[in-house]
């Protein structure tokens, strides 16, 4: 399906922002003055890698 | 029709490449401001690290985080967030981050244009071979061999990162050299090398050395949004080849090439309507 090439920059910026927000909501954000190793993102990534391996 | 409406009707839409250069300019400005924030006085402004905003930092610190449960020094979880943002873009549109959002890419494009102006091509005509001496193309064999360096570099960095304390590229990172304002002797030499090589060869860093570009290259093969060539209308004039910043051979037919940065220069340069189009598969 053909798409208007003038939409390309919008697609790039919107997808970057959406995925960034999604990542921050998943817990990938810096913790000021605290432990940088949050358990939630680590287990999320392990699950993701495990899923990929299967 | 009123005079105002006539002017409005005649006004040409901004070219796609102008939009690209503006977005790149914003990326350069944003990175510059992040660098500035980290050298400004005050507790709040010095918090965190410049490296924490780097998507490649997420790749460098991925294995240490999974194996040891902690990120490398100067990186934190924000690296993963930005990496996920970049991977999201790549998943949809291939290596377009390099062509549209990367601040180093934007700088390289400007440096190449500056070199072109300084060496005899003051008013470049799109699609016409530039009479300028620089930027030049490396001999084909050297070029092909040198393009594999970035993949080797990526492998070495990921391997070394397992036992590293700092991100392996930390002391040699060109983004830090250009934007961080915390210069060392080594970073000065990286900065000078970056400027000189970018003026000699267009997108030198992207073609031969960028490990992030190497990591994103595979997405060109799977991204659903990509360029498509209409072979029936293409006259093989080679206009797109002259404008391709990555010097891809037969650029019009190779949008799935690992080296393609989806900058759409070929689409913008093509003079034949609907010969190169953007499609979703």
């Amino acid at each position: 399906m053909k798409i208007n090439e003038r939409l390309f920059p919008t697609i790039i910026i919107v997808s970057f922002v959406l995925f960034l927000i999604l990542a921050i909501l998943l817990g990938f954000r810096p913790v000021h003055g605290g432990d940088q190793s949050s358990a939630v993102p680590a287990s999320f990534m392990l699950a993701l890698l495990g899923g990929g391996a299967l | 029709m009123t005079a105002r409406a006539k002017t409005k009707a005649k006004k040409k839409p901004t070219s796609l490449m102008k939009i690209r250069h503006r977005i790149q300019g914003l990326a350069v400005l944003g990175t510059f401001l992040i660098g500035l924030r980290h050298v400004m006085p005050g507790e709040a402004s010095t918090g965190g690290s410049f490296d924490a905003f780097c998507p490649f930092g997420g790749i460098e610190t991925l294995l240490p985080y999974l194996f040891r449960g902690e990120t490398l020094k100067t990186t934190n979880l924000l690296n993963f967030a930005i990496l996920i943002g970049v991977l999201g873009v790549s998943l949809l549109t291939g290596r377009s981050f390099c062509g549209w959002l990367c601040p180093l890419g934007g700088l390289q494009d400007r440096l190449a244009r500056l070199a072109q102006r300084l060496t005899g091509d003051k008013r470049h005509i799109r699609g016409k071979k530039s009479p300028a001496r620089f930027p030049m193309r490396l001999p084909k064999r050297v070029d092909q061999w040198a393009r594999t360096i970035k993949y080797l570099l990526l492998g070495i960095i990921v391997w070394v990162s397992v036992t590293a304390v700092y991100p392996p590229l930390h002391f040699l990172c060109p983004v830090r050299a250009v934007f961080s304002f915390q210069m060392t002797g080594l970073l000065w030499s990286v900065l000078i090398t970056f400027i000189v090589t970018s003026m000699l060869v267009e997108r030198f860093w992207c073609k031969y050395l960028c490990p992030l570009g190497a990591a994103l290259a595979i997405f060109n093969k799977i991204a659903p949004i990509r360029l498509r060539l209409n072979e029936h209308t293409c006259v093989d004039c080679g206009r797109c080849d002259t404008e391709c910043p990555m010097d891809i051979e037969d650029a019009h037919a190779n949008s799935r090439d690992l080296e393609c940065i989806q900058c759409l220069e070929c689409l913008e340069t093509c003079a034949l309507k609907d010969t190169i189009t953007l499609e979703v598969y």
Side-chain angles (χ1 to χ4, degrees), chain A residues 1-33 35-49, chain B residues 13-16 19 23 37 47-48 62 65-66 69-71 75-78 80-82 84-89 91-93 96-97 100-101 225 262-264 267-268 274 276-281:
Chain A
M1 185 183 69
K2 192 182 159 191
I3 55 169
N4 186 348
E5 64 266 15
R6 301 188 70 78
L7 288 176
F8 196 63
T10 316
I11 294 169
I12 292 172
I13 293 170
V14 169
S15 57
F16 177 73
V17 172
L18 282 181
F19 277 90
L20 183 68
I21 292 171
L22 183 74
I24 289 172
L25 289 177
L26 282 169
F28 293 102
R29 53 176 169 255
V31 186
H32 286 290
D35 181 18
Q36 292 293 331
S37 53
S38 159
V40 179
S43 53
F44 171 77
M45 276 199 291
L46 282 171
L48 208 67
L49 289 174
Chain B
T14 317
S15 89
L16 204 56
I19 297 173
I23 293 172
R37 176 191 167 272
L62 180 65
Y65 187 64
L66 289 176
E70 58 183 30
T71 56
T75 63
N76 60 41
L77 296 180
L78 187 62
F80 293 128
I82 293 172
I84 290 170
V86 172
L87 292 179
V89 175
L91 209 60
L92 285 175
T93 58
S96 61
F97 172 81
W100 291 76
L101 298 177
I225 299 174
Q262 312 293 339
C263 61
L264 307 195
L267 185 149
E268 188 83 344
D274 287 341
I276 302 177
T277 50
L278 198 62
E279 302 210 347
V280 186
Y281 284 82

Side-chain angles (χ1 to χ4, degrees), chain B residues 136-184:
Chain B
M136 60 173 189
R137 288 185 182 193
L138 291 185
K140 202 176 163 187
R141 271 193 154 188
V142 180
D143 176 73
Q144 278 180 343
W145 176 84
R147 280 178 200 256
T148 58
I149 295 175
K150 60 177 177 293
Y151 300 102
L152 288 173
L153 207 60
L154 174 66
I156 292 168
I157 287 171
V158 171
W159 178 258
V160 170
S161 72
V162 179
T163 53
V165 177
Y166 281 92
L169 207 61
H170 177 76
F171 300 102
L172 287 165
C173 178
V175 183
R176 283 189 69 225
V178 178
F179 296 105
S180 83
F181 302 104
Q182 292 161 327
M183 299 301 278
T184 61

Side-chain angles (χ1 to χ4, degrees), chain B residues 104-118:
Chain B
L104 273 192
L107 271 185
Q108 285 177 94
D109 283 349
R110 276 158 181 77
L111 286 168
R113 185 74 196 101
L114 177 68
Q116 213 172 35
R117 276 188 191 154
L118 292 176

Side-chain angles (χ1 to χ4, degrees), chain B residues 43-55:
Chain B
E43 184 78 21
S45 63
T46 52
S49 151
F50 181 76
D51 288 2
F53 293 85
C54 174

